[in-house]
Amino acid sequence: MDNIQNRVKALHDLLNQYGYEYYVQDNPSVPDSEYDKLLRELIDIEEAHPELKSPDSPTVRVGGEVQSSFEKVNHDTPMLSLGNAFNEQELRRFDQRIREQVGKVEYMCELKIDGLAVSLKYVDGRFVQGLTRGDGTTGEDITENLRTIHAIPLKINEPLSFEVRGEAYMPRSSFIRLNEEKEKNDEQPFANPRNAAAGSLRQLDPKLAAKRKLSVFLYSVNDFTDFKATTQSGALDELDRLGFKTNHERARVDDIEGVLAYIEKWTNQREQLPYDIDGIVIKVNDIEQQDEMGYTQKSPRWAIAYKFPAEEVVTTLQDIELSIGRTGVVTPTAILNPVRVAGTTVSRASLHNEDLIRERDIRIGDSVVVKKAGDIIPEVVRSITERRPEGTLPYSMPTHCPSCGHELVRIEGEVALRCINPKCQAQLVEGLIHFVSRQAMNIDGLGTKIIQQLYHHEVIKDVADIFYLTEDDLLPLERMGSKKVDNLLKAIDDAKANSLEHLLFGLGIRHLGVKASQVLAEKYETMDRLLEVTEEELVSIHDIGDKLAQSVVTYLENEDIKALIEKLKNKDVNMVYNGIKTSDIEGHPDFKDKTIVLTGKLQQLTRKEASAWLELQGAKVTSSVTKNTDLVIAGEDAGSKLTKAEKFGTEIWTEEQFVAKQNEISS
């Protein structure tokens, strides 16, 4: 047994050394095959002798048991956010405030990694717990997922007890590989590496997190008591010495001019990095000066984050492609010479509509400026007319539908061209895709490519046909094995039980969105009662206007639609509202019967999650600020809605205040 224990220790030492060389120093001394062989040997020993497996064994990197949920845990000291600066003037004001308070300072400049903030707790040199930032006071325990990140040491060489904080991120190479896999599986790809990293660390199955190949950069400790460092730069050097991975592109500068030079350098060179950054963090380097300056309620006074402006790049517009949506709207899309914008390669960008193309005089063959609206959606900003090739003609939208050939119309008061042929194949396919989407019937596994194959092979012609699919229909499709077919048929069967509002939204009635579907389903409770409703009745309902009322009644009076509903009933698709009634929601007095608007970018939860939670508390979530709005919850980069709320004197909360209230109510 002693020999086995000695071998286990030797394997630990070798695997930790090789892992450190590969994942932290980026300088491997052995090939991957050697590491894999030793890891396999250790796994075999631990399977034969479970008592020899320790919490810091290198084998935990492959992921442990599936968890049922993430526990909420309070941080020992709050994880505060940083104030933001968006231009040189704001940075100089920050510098002036610093010098007025503490005199001459030295600054530490660090790259702002675009990932997920995490806190790692070590006790006697062993990694024992890892938390997300959460609301800054309380985070989620994602320890098992963080153990799968090789750049996080499970044990350090000194028996120190402290918290180290940093940013978990997904390298661009891992992001590209992950999205390629998602596309192969007909799954929605991640929009950017930050979302992918956050989604990976919130997987309940650590084995899935392990496959995502995340990394981490550590940038601070919460308590300097056991550290010999007296500066931020010294603390980072100490973290390096202990075996942590820090970002070595940092720089110590003497004044604000040095800060501006560092920002200019990385604004120009950010695309050369193998990971995404969204700004620069500037900190007073001396820790005593940091302590002297202290903190506001939300952020340290001695640090600020400079945020990069929306990146604009130039490329060539190769073509304009037209797509037909489920309501017949013709949408032009720019086909671009591929170019990297804000961390991802872009080859397509929105052109919105015919009016925009004409106003901006955008032509095929132009050099165009492209940016990502909200750092997410690529769009063409303008053409560079001085580079325009000779003979380039203004773009003209077609007069007939590119899918079915039917004449296109422009309805009065609308900017979009529309195909009004109810049998247009493009519209029918888009309608099927909408029906199975997440907010509609949410049929997992029935993606765009499968829908297109089923339609073009004439297996399905309408949404009801989905519930008549058999194994024989699905097996001949590309990449459809028996197990995948079984899972898909089960998902289709499960969808039959969805509450009525999901079916209503899935049917794609013009002007009927998620919220109005919920309102109608809750009020009328069954599809049969809805089929008898009149325009006058609908218009009397709050949130249902004339256009929507007319659209719903016209749709449900159609004999083909009545036949479709009967076809769905014959396959036991639920036609009854089985959700929670607003009148039955007890709610919370801080939110019940309040009109609330969400604006700006939320970092800790999605807009959908926030809206759903507020509605469970009895609130009414609307999209526009009026004099009747009770509360506005503002995330980052909140714009005109926030300005309007300030003008009306409406109560305004930050996202941090909202999340803190959520936690208070939930505790």
Side-chain angles (χ1 to χ4, degrees):
M1 192 65 175
D2 286 346
N3 289 339
I4 296 175
Q5 288 176 325
N6 290 337
R7 182 56 181 163
V8 167
K9 184 179 184 309
L11 288 170
H12 276 218
D13 291 342
L14 282 170
L15 289 166
N16 286 334
Q17 176 192 334
Y18 296 154
Y20 177 74
E21 291 168 350
Y22 186 96
Y23 293 100
V24 179
Q25 295 185 319
D26 198 21
N27 185 28
S29 62
V30 295
D32 291 351
S33 57
E34 177 66 13
Y35 182 94
D36 293 341
K37 184 181 79 173
L38 296 175
L39 183 64
R40 182 70 256 172
E41 181 185 349
L42 182 57
I43 290 172
D44 290 342
I45 292 174
E46 289 180 350
E47 285 178 352
H49 302 278
E51 70 279 5
L52 297 181
K53 183 169 183 175
S54 64
D56 52 23
S57 169
T59 60
V60 304
R61 305 289 194 188
V62 299
E65 296 299 314
V66 176
Q67 303 168 84
S68 59
S69 63
F70 296 115
E71 183 185 354
K72 297 283 181 66
V73 179
N74 287 336
H75 295 290
D76 289 349
T77 57
M79 288 185 73
L80 301 178
S81 57
L82 295 178
N84 291 326
F86 296 93
N87 53 49
E88 179 180 337
Q89 185 181 13
E90 290 175 354
L91 286 169
R92 288 190 181 278
R93 283 204 297 266
F94 166 74
D95 174 59
Q96 184 179 351
R97 287 196 303 271
I98 296 287
R99 288 185 290 105
E100 284 174 354
Q101 186 166 354
V102 296
K104 182 174 173 56
V105 292
E106 182 180 65
Y107 290 115
M108 190 68 193
C109 298
E110 303 169 37
L111 302 182
K112 187 174 182 295
I113 310 302
D114 196 11
L116 183 74
V118 294
S119 180
L120 314 177
K121 182 182 285 189
Y122 286 78
V123 175
D124 296 331
R126 292 179 183 271
F127 174 51
V128 296
Q129 188 177 65
L131 307 178
T132 63
R133 180 183 177 277
D135 63 0
T137 302
T138 304
E140 290 183 316
D141 188 336
I142 55 168
T143 305
E144 295 311 309
N145 286 346
L146 289 171
R147 287 187 195 278
T148 68
I149 299 178
H150 287 258
I152 294 176
L154 302 176
K155 182 175 67 173
I156 58 177
N157 293 330
E158 296 184 20
L160 296 174
S161 298
F162 64 101
E163 276 186 42
V164 59
R165 288 167 176 180
E167 199 86 2
Y169 69 94
M170 180 171 283
R172 287 176 180 166
S173 57
S174 299
F175 176 70
I176 292 167
R177 185 173 60 250
L178 173 60
N179 270 355
E180 285 174 349
E181 289 175 4
K182 282 188 163 289
E183 286 169 4
K184 282 179 187 174
N185 295 326
D186 280 344
E187 296 174 351
Q188 182 70 28
F190 282 107
N192 52 56
R194 183 190 185 282
N195 289 0
S200 300
L201 286 174
R202 299 201 77 259
Q203 291 282 342
L204 292 172
D205 185 354
K207 290 184 177 65
L208 290 176
K211 291 178 182 176
R212 300 286 176 84
K213 305 296 183 186
L214 302 180
S215 193
V216 71
F217 284 122
L218 286 310
Y219 53 67
S220 72
V221 292
N222 70 327
D223 185 352
F224 286 89
T225 304
D226 293 329
F227 270 58
K228 299 166 186 174
T230 58
T231 61
Q232 168 69 6
S233 56
L236 292 172
D237 291 342
E238 186 71 0
L239 288 174
D240 282 336
R241 187 184 68 79
L242 291 170
F244 292 99
K245 183 178 181 181
T246 68
N247 192 291
H248 288 183
E249 304 298 346
R250 57 188 184 259
R252 217 167 46 183
V253 300
D254 294 330
D255 52 28
I256 193 64
E257 302 306 327
V259 169
L260 295 171
Y262 181 89
I263 288 172
E264 182 180 9
K265 172 185 174 181
W266 287 109
T267 299
N268 296 329
Q269 297 183 19
R270 60 192 286 204
E271 284 306 307
Q272 298 173 22
L273 295 166
Y275 46 82
D276 281 3
I277 61 173
D278 60 354
I280 304 295
V281 175
I282 302 103
K283 301 174 183 175
V284 171
N285 195 34
D286 187 273
I287 292 169
E288 281 191 10
Q289 288 181 321
Q290 291 181 8
D291 292 341
E292 184 180 344
M293 295 197 68
Y295 302 81
T296 67
Q297 188 175 357
K298 295 190 295 184
S299 58
R301 290 191 174 92
W302 43 266
I304 199 165
Y306 169 79
K307 302 296 283 289
F308 290 130
E311 182 184 7
E312 294 187 346
V313 299
V314 177
T315 188
T316 303
L317 176 64
Q318 297 176 336
D319 199 0
I320 294 177
E321 182 181 280
L322 302 174
S323 60
I324 312 299
R326 64 182 174 85
T327 60
V329 171
V330 181
T331 302
T333 299
I335 307 302
L336 307 167
N337 191 27
V339 63
R340 282 191 70 81
V341 187
T344 58
T345 299
V346 169
S347 58
R348 301 166 66 86
S350 173
L351 287 170
H352 299 292
N353 54 58
E354 181 181 18
D355 287 356
L356 180 140
I357 294 173
R358 188 182 299 115
E359 286 166 10
R360 299 183 183 178
D361 190 20
I362 295 168
R363 306 183 187 186
I364 295 172
D366 277 353
S367 292
V368 292
V369 176
V370 179
K371 74 172 185 180
K372 283 189 178 178
D375 267 351
I376 297 173
I377 303 169
E379 68 173 352
V380 175
V381 179
R382 63 185 179 278
S383 283
I384 304 176
T385 54
E386 56 268 29
R387 296 192 193 177
R388 177 169 288 160
E390 285 186 22
T392 303
L393 299 174
Y395 180 76
S396 296
M397 291 286 278
T399 57
H400 289 75
C401 175
S403 174
C404 69
H406 195 281
E407 186 177 2
L408 298 174
V409 301
R410 186 161 178 173
I411 297 171
E412 187 178 349
E414 294 188 1
V415 296
L417 283 174
R418 192 182 296 273
C419 174
I420 56 172
N421 176 13
K423 296 185 178 179
C424 174
Q425 287 194 1
Q427 291 182 60
L428 293 172
V429 171
E430 288 298 321
L432 290 163
I433 293 167
H434 170 75
F435 184 79
V436 303
S437 64
R438 184 163 296 177
Q439 290 185 296
M441 296 301 279
N442 191 24
I443 302 179
D444 191 34
L446 196 51
T448 299
K449 290 179 182 176
I450 296 175
I451 289 285
Q452 289 171 338
Q453 287 184 72
L454 289 168
Y455 184 84
H456 292 303
H457 286 88
E458 298 185 345
V459 179
I460 58 174
K461 295 180 180 178
D462 59 42
V463 297
D465 286 337
I466 291 169
F467 297 98
Y468 289 77
L469 288 170
T470 66
E471 188 176 19
D472 290 340
D473 294 324
L474 295 168
L475 276 174
L477 302 182
E478 293 176 22
R479 302 193 189 97
M480 290 294 283
S482 297
K483 186 174 181 181
K484 194 170 181 180
V485 167
D486 288 344
N487 290 337
L488 182 50
L489 289 173
K490 182 180 184 304
I492 291 171
D493 194 56
D494 290 344
K496 293 178 183 178
N498 285 341
S499 186
L500 176 60
E501 69 273 17
H502 293 282
L503 176 60
L504 280 176
F505 180 62
L507 289 172
I509 303 171
R510 196 169 172 216
H511 303 308
L512 186 68
V514 173
K515 190 167 184 181
S517 298
Q518 171 79 27
V519 170
L520 293 182
E522 184 177 338
K523 179 169 180 61
Y524 292 100
E525 297 185 330
T526 70
M527 181 64 82
D528 288 340
R529 289 184 64 190
L530 264 172
L531 289 169
E532 298 170 355
V533 77
T534 65
E535 277 187 48
E536 291 75 19
E537 285 180 74
L538 289 179
V539 170
S540 68
I541 301 172
H542 188 65
D543 290 331
I544 306 294
D546 293 345
K547 279 187 179 178
L548 177 54
Q550 183 182 31
S551 179
V552 169
V553 170
T554 301
Y555 182 88
L556 294 177
E557 282 179 345
N558 186 297
E559 292 302 320
D560 289 338
I561 298 304
K562 289 180 179 179
L564 177 70
I565 290 169
E566 285 303 314
K567 192 173 173 182
L568 288 163
K569 284 181 179 179
N570 290 339
K571 275 296 180 178
D572 299 320
V573 175
N574 177 57
M575 299 279 163
V576 176
Y577 178 68
N578 53 28
I580 300 172
K581 285 202 160 193
T582 304
S583 56
D584 295 336
I585 296 174
E586 185 176 333
H588 190 276
D590 285 352
F591 300 109
K592 189 167 176 60
D593 300 325
K594 298 279 182 72
T595 300
I596 298 175
V597 172
L598 297 161
T599 184
K601 297 180 197 170
L602 300 181
Q603 302 297 318
Q604 300 179 48
L605 66 172
T606 66
R607 186 77 62 89
K608 181 182 172 185
E609 289 168 342
S611 297
W613 187 88
L614 285 166
E615 286 167 357
L616 282 173
Q617 303 307 318
K620 177 187 173 187
V621 181
T622 63
S623 59
S624 57
V625 176
T626 69
K627 290 180 180 179
N628 297 321
T629 303
D630 296 299
L631 173 66
V632 169
I633 298 169
E636 286 186 12
D637 302 331
S640 59
K641 292 180 186 178
L642 180 59
T643 305
K644 208 170 184 182
E646 290 168 343
K647 178 183 172 184
F648 287 141
T650 308
E651 185 177 1
I652 298 168
W653 286 8
T654 64
E655 183 184 2
E656 287 75 16
Q657 286 174 286
F658 173 50
V659 172
K661 177 59 73 173
Q662 276 188 304
N663 292 332
E664 177 190 319
I665 291 170
S666 302
S667 61

